[in-house]
Each structure stands twice: as structure tokens, then as C-alpha cells.
Amino acid sequence: MMQSEGLKIILSGPSGSGKGTIVKELIKEDFILSISATTRQPRVGEQDEVHYFFKSVEEFEEMIEKGELLEYANFCNNYYGTPKSFIDKSVEEGKDVILEIEVQGAMQVKSVYPDAIFVFIMPPTFEELKSRLIGRGTETDDVIEKRLARAVDELKMYKEYDYIVINDRLEDAVEHIRNIVRAEKLKSYRYKTYIEEMLTK
Amino acid sequence: MMQSEGLKIILSGPSGSGKGTIVKELIKEDFILSISATTRQPRVGEQDEVHYFFKSVEEFEEMIEKGELLEYANFCNNYYGTPKSFIDKSVEEGKDVILEIEVQGAMQVKSVYPDAIFVFIMPPTFEELKSRLIGRGTETDDVIEKRLARAVDELKMYKEYDYIVINDRLEDAVEHIRNIVRAEKLKSYRYKTYIEEMLTK
């Protein structure tokens, strides 16, 4: 009856916005999470094609060369990246895929997937953001200051996103994202085939 | 906390799409309906400023001259039009206003209210549309044919709308529109003040 292609939802938000917890809730039911590729060794309990696509350096560099990665980076001598093929395949099967991506990475994704939905997760107040960052209790003042400065820079990018979800109560934030996805599925461009078929009968 | 301006929702759809019934449901709770102005005589039970703004021809023509009408037309020697002031005032008060407008009129509204949300109500199938038009049983074949031809012309305009709502089950259609409005309230442009205030603290 309708076009059944899934949606690509890009979730970004400053450290302390709680986006990780939101993602965990969303993938319990209706969404699937994009799987990253990495060259680091699997840890105990990590499965290939479930937690990561584990690759050799040669395989990973071949993926880079062939343009198979949406974005990638190198941390501590290990590659991490987002393979396009898994996302494209999932979306074709009608699944809604979540990509949890940093603001900078998200802007790169926009040029590859202009039809993706960009959602920015916000802490309810700046004080709350600060206390969430401090609350972890494991960081020095210096690190916290740097994270706050970075959060401010990221917040300034909110206009580049389609939607803002304020993470005050987790259940509300999760429901807001489900709501956004339901509404996006009613966008008129998705009904092209449906209406054209209706009109040719 | 957030910008609390209401939304303007333009509902269009071919005759037989059931948009009138949807509107009746929506205004029971969360939405208010735009009130038209007219020069026709009030019927029994009709109240000024509730069912219509009843105007003299002089008053109505003054509204036209002053550009106070969003759109207007003349049927059977009576003027009918949509006053902007009622909509603007309601939206400023944070109310979500529904405007039930024909496709042609809706396109005019788009130039005045580019920020309005345009929703096109569709029958589930073309057969269903046809049977709903015939079902009224009060029209000749000729009238039905003309309405169908007009419905086809209107359906072709779907791309001009933001969202499509298929009116298969009334409750679903109503819920879809509520969903659209909830998602639209999360659009990032509505958070400008909120985020800017957050960043200056």
C-alpha cells in the first residue's frame, strides 16, 4: 500500500545529553542500530556482525578506498567506521536504522544521506548538562571544562538538525523520537508511487 | 521553556475524503477551527463569532480592501472568506488552528503562511472515493463524474502538501494528524530562543 522503505535517523547530542540511553531504549523494539566496522580486537563476548564488523587493517583500508564507509576515524591506532552497505540493506528491507554520530560526523553524513532525519538530543538545561558531566565523578576539572566548551560548540549547530529532543524524562524523549519517525512516514514524497498507481487505475 | 506559538494546519482533500469528519474529531479536544466571515444571513442556531463572523457587504468589502482576508470567494451572491486576524491571534495564544481549505485556496494560503503545515487527506483507494461520492445517493451520474474528475485533479497536487493522511479508519487518521503536530513542535527552528538563552547563561 505505501512505500515501505525504512528511515535513517541520525542522533547527535553533546556528551551528557543522554543520547546513549535513548538509543538503548529505541533498539529494544522498533529500531535497529547501525553496526560499525573496526580493526581493533574483539573483546570477550563481542560477536562479529552483531557488535562490530571486525576487519583486518587491509580489509578496512580497502573499504575506505572503495568508498564503502559513511565516515571513519582512527583512535589509538585502530580504525572505526560506519559501513554504508549495512544501512542501505536495512533501509531497503523497511527497517528504521539509528546512527549515533558526533556532530562533525553527522554533517558529513548529510551529504551522503540528504534524506536522513537529523535529531539533536539536548539536556533540559545547561546546569543539568554540567551536573551530568561532573556527576560521572571520574574526570578532572580541566576535562570537564573542555567537554563543556565542546558541548557549547555542538549546541550552536542545532540549526543543522531537523528536530530537537530535550531529554528531560527518558520515556518522553524516546516517545518524541518515535513520534518524529511516525510523522516522517507520512511525508508526501513517500506517497509518490501510491498516488500515481491510484491515478492510473 | 519552549516557544509556545501554536501551529496553523491546512487540511485539504477531495470531496469524499472524509476531511470534514476528521476536523470534527480534532476540534473536540486539542485544536480550534478557523472561523470564516460571510455576508449571508445567520441560520437558526448560528452564532456570530462562533459559527461565522457575520458581516455586511460593506464590512466584508472593507476587509478585502484592507487585506484582512487570507482568501475569499463569492458563492450565490454571498461572500465567504477567512479572516487572518482570528488565526494570528489564536496562534499567538499558543493554540493550534485548523483551516479546512480547498486545494486551490490552500495554494494561496501557502504564500501568506509559508510556515503552515499542509496536510492532504486521501481516501484509501480510488474505488472507495468513488463509492463515497456515489454513496450520498443524492447526485446525478453527471455530477459524480465531474466530482471524480475534480478529485483526480486535486490528487495530482499532493506534492504541494507536506504530509499525506490516508483516511481508512477515522481514529487512525485523527491520530496521524495529532502525531504530525507533535512532531512539528519538535522542529529545530522552534527552539531558537530556548537554545540561545541556554547559551548566554
Side-chain angles (χ1 to χ4, degrees):
Chain A
M1 167 172 157
M2 320 175 8
Q3 280 204 30
S4 54
E5 191 166 274
L7 296 175
K8 295 176 280 276
I9 304 109
I10 316 297
L11 286 190
S12 303
S15 175
S17 63
K19 62 180 185 302
T21 321
I22 292 174
V23 168
K24 272 191 199 110
E25 281 302 310
L26 289 170
I27 60 174
K28 273 185 191 166
E29 288 176 39
D30 17 18
F31 296 89
I32 62 165
L33 189 62
S34 159
I35 303 174
S36 300
T38 184
T39 56
R40 82 153 164 73
Q41 290 302 307
R43 291 181 193 141
V44 177
E46 280 183 349
Q47 288 171 268
D48 189 30
E49 300 186 21
V50 176
H51 300 94
Y52 282 96
F53 295 108
F54 292 105
K55 302 284 176 190
S56 67
V57 173
E58 294 70 34
E59 285 170 330
F60 200 100
E61 290 178 343
E62 205 184 310
M63 290 177 86
I64 298 174
E65 275 165 39
K66 288 189 178 167
E68 292 172 7
L69 297 169
L70 201 52
E71 45 102 51
Y72 70 95
N74 195 310
F75 292 115
C76 310
N77 256 336
N78 287 311
Y79 279 122
Y80 294 84
T82 309
K84 260 181 110 271
S85 60
F86 175 76
I87 300 165
D88 294 342
K89 192 172 151 284
S90 305
V91 163
E92 267 168 42
E93 290 168 356
K95 293 170 188 158
D96 300 319
V97 182
I98 292 194
L99 289 87
E100 193 189 332
I101 294 184
E102 301 293 300
V103 173
Q104 291 308 325
M107 295 305 105
Q108 290 174 43
V109 172
K110 218 172 180 175
S111 59
V112 186
Y113 290 142
D115 60 337
I117 301 155
F118 290 77
V119 180
F120 195 81
I121 312 287
M122 297 253 303
T125 62
F126 202 71
E127 289 68 37
E128 178 66 24
L129 174 70
K130 214 165 166 170
S131 81
R132 283 184 197 179
L133 287 176
I134 296 167
R136 297 184 177 178
T138 48
E139 315 291 356
T140 63
D141 286 1
D142 191 43
V143 169
I144 290 167
E145 276 308 313
K146 269 188 192 151
R147 286 214 180 131
L148 264 180
R150 189 176 164 179
V152 169
D153 284 344
E154 290 180 345
L155 285 173
K156 283 177 186 163
M157 298 291 283
Y158 81 94
K159 283 176 206 163
E160 302 295 325
Y161 287 77
D162 302 308
Y163 298 95
I164 305 283
V165 168
I166 296 175
N167 186 14
D168 199 348
R169 287 180 63 233
L170 175 66
E171 313 85 273
D172 292 345
V174 169
E175 188 51 28
H176 282 334
I177 293 172
R178 291 209 176 102
N179 231 310
I180 289 166
V181 169
R182 282 193 288 258
E184 283 287 334
K185 291 194 173 180
L186 301 171
K187 280 281 172 79
S188 60
Y189 74 88
R190 291 178 62 90
Y191 287 80
K192 193 174 184 296
T193 314
Y194 177 75
I195 294 177
E196 282 169 7
E197 277 177 9
M198 191 187 236
L199 291 174
T200 51
K201 266 176 198 163
Chain B
M1 164 171 156
M2 321 175 7
Q3 280 203 30
S4 55
E5 190 165 275
L7 297 175
K8 297 177 277 281
I9 303 108
I10 317 298
L11 287 190
S12 303
S15 174
S17 63
K19 62 180 185 299
T21 321
I22 292 175
V23 168
K24 272 192 199 110
E25 281 301 310
L26 289 170
I27 61 175
K28 273 185 190 164
E29 288 176 40
D30 17 17
F31 297 89
I32 63 165
L33 189 62
S34 159
I35 303 174
S36 300
T38 183
T39 57
R40 80 153 164 75
Q41 291 301 307
R43 294 183 190 138
V44 176
E46 281 183 350
Q47 289 171 268
D48 190 29
E49 299 186 20
V50 176
H51 299 93
Y52 283 95
F53 295 109
F54 292 104
K55 302 284 177 190
S56 68
V57 172
E58 295 69 35
E59 287 171 329
F60 200 101
E61 289 177 344
E62 205 184 309
M63 291 177 87
I64 298 174
E65 274 164 41
K66 288 188 177 166
E68 291 172 9
L69 296 170
L70 199 53
E71 46 101 47
Y72 70 96
N74 196 310
F75 291 115
C76 309
N77 256 335
N78 287 311
Y79 279 123
Y80 293 85
T82 309
K84 258 182 110 276
S85 61
F86 175 77
I87 299 166
D88 294 343
K89 193 172 150 286
S90 304
V91 163
E92 266 167 43
E93 289 168 357
K95 292 170 189 157
D96 301 318
V97 183
I98 293 194
L99 290 87
E100 193 189 331
I101 294 182
E102 301 293 299
V103 173
Q104 291 307 325
M107 295 305 104
Q108 290 173 43
V109 172
K110 217 172 179 176
S111 60
V112 186
Y113 290 143
D115 60 337
I117 301 155
F118 290 77
V119 180
F120 194 81
I121 313 286
M122 296 252 304
T125 62
F126 202 71
E127 290 68 36
E128 179 65 23
L129 174 69
K130 215 164 167 174
S131 81
R132 284 184 196 178
L133 288 176
I134 297 168
R136 296 181 176 178
T138 49
E139 315 292 356
T140 61
D141 286 1
D142 191 43
V143 169
I144 290 168
E145 275 309 312
K146 267 186 192 152
R147 285 215 179 130
L148 264 179
R150 189 177 163 178
V152 169
D153 283 345
E154 290 180 345
L155 285 173
K156 284 178 186 161
M157 299 291 283
Y158 80 95
K159 284 176 205 163
E160 301 295 326
Y161 288 77
D162 301 308
Y163 298 95
I164 305 283
V165 168
I166 296 174
N167 186 14
D168 198 349
R169 288 179 62 233
L170 176 67
E171 313 88 90
D172 292 345
V174 169
E175 188 52 28
H176 281 333
I177 293 171
R178 292 211 176 102
N179 230 310
I180 288 167
V181 169
R182 282 193 288 257
E184 283 287 334
K185 291 195 171 177
L186 301 171
K187 280 279 173 81
S188 58
Y189 74 89
R190 292 178 62 90
Y191 287 80
K192 194 174 182 297
T193 315
Y194 176 77
I195 293 176
E196 281 170 6
E197 277 177 10
M198 190 187 237
L199 291 174
T200 52
K201 265 175 198 162

